[in-house]
Amino acid sequence: MRPATATAAAVTTLIGVGAAVIAAGRYASDVALKAPSGRPLPGDPGLTVHATGPERITLTRSLASLRPGTYGMDAPDLHAVLGPVLDRVPHTADTVVRRLERVELGVLGPGARVRLTPQLHRGTPTSALGLVHEDVEIPGELGPLPAWLVPGHRATWVIALHGLGTTREHPLNLVPFYDRRKIPVLVPAYRGDEGAPASPAGLAHLGDSEWRDVDAAIRYAVRRGARKVVLHGWGTGATMALRAAVESGVRDRISGLVLDSPVLDWEATLRNLATARHVPGLLLPLAVRAAQGRTGAHGDLLRTVSEPGALRAPALLFHGPDDTLAPWEPSVELAARLPGLVGLRTVKQAPHAAMWNADPNRYEESVRRFLTPLL
């Protein structure tokens, strides 16, 4: 083969390999970050319903079905709410019996394949909880953001922010708690959610750009009469709240943060999402590079927040070692770096963004004590 021909063949081969690498990286990053709003997070196995009875349900025995607490249970055209495990009820070795609180949608019967979710409710604050609410629009950076506003008499508002794998129905778990204390609650959608503007390239940024919609929500609340706001976020919603607390131009209006399972290590969470969605291990570095190229540079949030004077508002942080998507260790480190400002409540046997579900009473009592001096 002549040198020129050999060189051309080599270049063609390299271009082909390079294109394949780029395509593989884009595929892997799409798998991790392009899931539509509300698509269940990966990781938990599907469960089979073995039997139902008065106020009880029998499920496949697994770590997921044995978790303590209260969870939603989803399948296509089905939604129910499960209570605690019933240890003293007879069952076979490969099943577990839990209390069945209610069936909100569909018909539940043997053979149904279901997944547990931290999201208990379907619908609006009015249809799901019987609470008066107002449908409002928040002027956002990319366009109008639909939101629910549950009114209250307090001058301090709560802005409740869902995360990946759920919708703004997830914060409805805590809306009754805040409503009993007459605290107005604003529950916004943000870019990428149904009814909200699409995120650029259709990719989630794990809070790194979405936080600007939180900034818009704070400004909206202030225009509607809020003197201060408390940001309560789950997963990437917690990340958005934390970013807003250090980067927003109206951060002086933020009096406190309640952070449930925040994403503090962007790369680790991306890898965990890709792995849980069955991206081959060899493609994980490509997924990280491709995602960084498509979503922009991602700073070290833990370091940024820990710098002197960066975080002014006190934070109550819920996280636990059983979160397989957002590593728990950075939350432990954040609380250690800012001991006078960040309090950590460790929650075991709870998956990502489900710290309330594991023990609702303990969670709400911690939030009550945290909020009292802020109101």
Side-chain angles (χ1 to χ4, degrees):
M1 183 179 292
R2 293 179 180 179
T5 304
T7 300
V11 169
T12 301
T13 299
L14 288 173
I15 291 173
V17 171
V21 168
I22 292 171
R26 288 182 65 89
Y27 157 76
S29 63
D30 279 353
V31 169
L33 297 178
K34 215 167 186 176
S37 173
R39 175 185 171 185
L41 287 174
D44 279 348
L47 303 172
T48 299
V49 176
H50 291 265
T52 60
E55 299 183 349
R56 67 182 59 176
I57 183 171
T58 304
L59 297 167
T60 305
R61 190 178 189 86
S62 70
L63 292 177
S65 62
L66 285 168
R67 287 184 188 128
T70 301
Y71 288 87
M73 186 175 67
D74 277 343
D77 301 317
L78 173 68
H79 183 75
V81 178
L82 305 183
V85 173
L86 302 176
D87 291 320
R88 298 184 180 180
V89 176
H91 57 85
T92 61
D94 60 347
T95 62
V96 60
V97 180
R98 299 187 71 117
R99 189 167 69 216
L100 180 61
E101 302 284 358
R102 61 187 181 274
V103 178
E104 294 189 340
L105 176 67
V107 177
L108 186 62
R113 292 287 291 172
V114 297
R115 287 183 181 273
L116 300 189
T117 170
Q119 189 167 300
L120 261 60
H121 302 286
R122 291 279 189 95
T124 69
T126 300
S127 65
L129 303 172
L131 298 176
V132 173
H133 83 280
E134 181 183 352
D135 289 308
V136 301
E137 279 193 348
I138 298 169
E141 178 184 54
L142 302 179
L145 306 168
W148 297 319
L149 174 57
V150 179
H153 301 311
R154 302 275 190 179
T156 296
W157 289 30
V158 166
I159 299 178
L161 307 161
H162 76 87
L164 289 176
T166 60
T167 67
R168 57 185 166 135
E169 293 167 314
H170 184 195
L172 294 182
N173 291 358
L174 267 294
V175 166
F177 167 82
Y178 287 121
D179 182 70
R180 290 194 296 270
R181 287 151 183 82
K182 310 302 179 185
I183 300 171
V185 185
L186 183 64
V187 187
Y190 55 85
R191 61 190 68 187
D193 282 350
E194 183 178 356
S199 179
L203 295 176
H205 290 202
L206 302 184
D208 274 8
S209 64
E210 294 90 346
W211 76 266
R212 291 193 284 274
D213 293 339
V214 180
D215 178 81
I218 297 169
R219 295 173 189 272
Y220 176 86
V222 170
R223 288 195 299 272
R224 289 290 302 263
R227 289 207 295 265
K228 294 287 183 180
V229 300
V230 172
L231 303 180
H232 189 157
W234 289 259
T236 52
T239 309
M240 292 154 58
L242 197 52
R243 282 204 174 275
V246 297
E247 298 184 37
S248 171
V250 287
R251 64 177 182 157
D252 59 306
R253 297 285 190 160
I254 302 172
S255 62
L257 304 168
V258 181
L259 308 173
D260 188 317
S261 315
V263 174
L264 297 176
D265 187 331
W266 183 91
E267 184 174 324
T269 296
L270 175 67
R271 286 174 174 269
N272 289 340
L273 282 168
T275 299
R277 289 184 172 135
H278 309 294
V279 170
L282 290 175
L283 294 185
L284 293 180
L286 299 179
V288 171
R289 278 195 226 108
Q292 288 172 333
R294 301 168 75 188
T295 62
H298 298 269
D300 186 339
L301 180 58
L302 180 59
R303 184 180 66 183
T304 299
V305 173
S306 302
E307 290 176 354
L311 183 63
R312 301 172 187 173
L316 175 61
L317 176 55
F318 295 93
H319 213 161
D322 300 291
D323 188 335
T324 59
L325 295 179
W328 174 59
E329 291 80 5
S331 290
V332 176
E333 186 174 349
L334 177 60
R337 289 186 182 187
L338 301 173
L341 203 58
V342 178
L344 174 64
R345 300 292 183 272
T346 299
V347 182
K348 297 181 179 180
Q349 293 182 278
H352 180 69
M355 306 300 116
W356 175 88
N357 302 80
D359 192 341
N361 291 334
R362 180 170 175 255
Y363 188 106
E364 292 183 6
E365 177 60 17
S366 295
V367 175
R368 185 193 67 78
R369 293 187 180 193
F370 174 74
L371 281 179
T372 297
L374 304 180
L375 297 177

